[in-house]
Amino acid sequence: MFHRDRSFVGRFAGVRDVEVVSADGCRVVDARGRTFVDFQGGWCVGNLGWNPPEVLARVRSFDGPAYVDPDFAYAPWAELAERLVALAPGKLARAYRVATGTEAVELALQLAMVHTSRRKIVSIEGAYHGNSFAARSVGNDTLPAHLVGMKHLAPPLDGRALARLETLLKHRDVAAFIMEPTIMNLAVLIPDPELMMGLVEMCHQYGTLVIMDEVYCGFGRTGRLFACQHYGIEPDLLTLGKSLGGGVAPIAATLATERVARAVKGHVDFCSTFGWQPISVEAALATLDLWDARGADLLLNAGERSHQIRVRAAEIFDDAELRIQGLAIGIGLHGEEPLEPVETWCRDHGLLLYADGDSLVLFPPLTVDEATCIEAMDILAGAVE
Ligand SMILES: Cc1ncc(COP(=O)(O)O)c(C=O)c1O
């Protein structure tokens, strides 16, 4: 199997030594019969645990149209859009239909540029917002992608970052400021509340729109449904993806305020062929139903497990920087040693986690129980010893 993968599958890095055959809840099983506790969660696609029965059953029994032309109407599109904007923070009033997080970001950037008639974007230095040229331009780019005029706000993202942001905005040429409210792609960097609570006002003072990218940190990961709710942020644009489809089907969305949506109507032409395909919409609606029924319990559990893991991590690591918000868990080790051997050791002993620079990153599903957290942290403790 690995031989065929190496021969035929396009990849940019080596394949990890896990051939997945099934997944359920917190666990992944491979072709060698090994079972792993999965604290990677597929980059947070699996916030609800793998194969959530409520979502899977709905997708399996779906008998609606396989495809609907984007220019036609389809009642579940209207239902999903209405429910998303009702859940979303602030004055977000429209949901645009896209298939991936990259498309959601791409559209948000285009909407901001058209709305403001400006070309520049400010993002966080080292950020990641997807794979298209524009998304890569606003991220930690490795391609010569200069389609978008870029400026970066560099960490530390403390209260003083607001003044640095102002110097980037004050020429009134910046269409949008984009960031993940909890920066998952910087190994769970949690910005200072002072920065977060001041940034919308600061941006609006200079005519800049605020894009909150919740593709990764949204849907409960940080202990709130959306991470920007920790700070009362009311964004102009919000991007969603990954676990919106319950880990069962691909779907993403760009949410905009009515003011933005009205201004860009007729000036932007953005159509995603597979944006909100019926089967994915069914998965997303089932996901929202699950959130309606069990959301409070999921967030409560996330809080309790978060505390449990924080306490144990503090025992295991003497000198670590614990960056923990809900079940977004970054353990900064500031060491010289690369951490990939820790990731590999844990995998060999039944735990999947990420090594990211000088940090270990853990994304347990929001459904994880106490015993599984003990099991996982015991493995991690063994790796450190
Ligand atoms: C914050 C953020 N935005 C956008 C994306 C792009 O999402 P996708 O891979 O679905 O295109 C990602 C993917 O990891 C992400 O982390």
Side-chain angles (χ1 to χ4, degrees), residues 246-321:
V248 172
I251 183 161
T254 305
L255 273 50
T257 60
E258 190 60 31
R259 196 170 72 94
V260 172
R262 252 198 218 142
V264 297
K265 195 163 183 188
H267 301 285
V268 177
D269 187 9
F270 192 111
C271 183
S272 167
T273 300
F274 289 111
W276 290 27
Q277 223 192 336
I279 194 84
S280 296
V281 173
E282 185 68 7
L285 288 171
T287 300
L288 296 190
D289 286 347
L290 193 154
W291 272 102
D292 282 349
R294 288 174 41 206
D297 291 343
L298 287 172
L299 295 180
L300 186 66
N301 186 58
E304 288 174 1
R305 300 288 74 81
S306 173
H307 179 70
Q308 178 190 351
I309 291 173
R310 180 189 289 280
V311 169
R312 188 71 203 282
E315 287 165 9
I316 298 172
F317 301 97
D318 292 338
D319 196 20
E321 181 192 25

Side-chain angles (χ1 to χ4, degrees), residues 30-31 95 121 147 156 158 174 210 241 257-258 285 299 329 333 338 343 353 360 365 383:
D30 83 349
I121 305 288
L147 294 182
D158 53 17
V174 175
V210 173
T257 60
E258 190 60 31
L285 288 171
L299 295 180
I329 297 165
L333 295 173
E343 181 181 318
L353 50 68
L360 297 172

Side-chain angles (χ1 to χ4, degrees), residues 43 99-103 105 128-131 135 180 184-185 213-217 239 241-242 252:
W43 307 111
T100 66
T102 298
E103 278 185 323
V105 167
Y128 177 77
H129 294 286
N131 284 310
E180 294 184 271
M184 312 289 272
N185 286 293
D213 183 353
E214 298 241 9
V215 166
Y216 204 163
C217 61
T239 53
K242 293 196 192 278

Side-chain angles (χ1 to χ4, degrees), residues 43-80:
W43 307 111
C44 295
V45 170
N47 277 2
L48 301 174
W50 294 124
N51 294 14
E54 300 91 328
V55 182
L56 209 55
R58 286 267 294 275
V59 166
R60 286 188 169 147
S61 63
F62 179 69
D63 66 354
Y67 187 78
V68 178
D69 183 296
D71 289 337
F72 293 161
Y74 177 58
W77 284 340
E79 183 188 345
L80 180 58

Side-chain angles (χ1 to χ4, degrees), residues 7 33 36 45 47 58 83 91-92 114 119 156 167 173 216 229 240 260 276 315 351 357 362 378:
S7 299
F36 303 89
V45 170
N47 277 2
R58 286 267 294 275
R83 289 177 68 178
K91 300 185 186 63
L92 296 164
V114 171
R119 286 179 57 85
T167 61
D173 57 355
Y216 204 163
Q229 291 172 322
L240 299 172
V260 172
W276 290 27
E315 287 165 9
L351 171 65
L362 287 72
D378 282 349

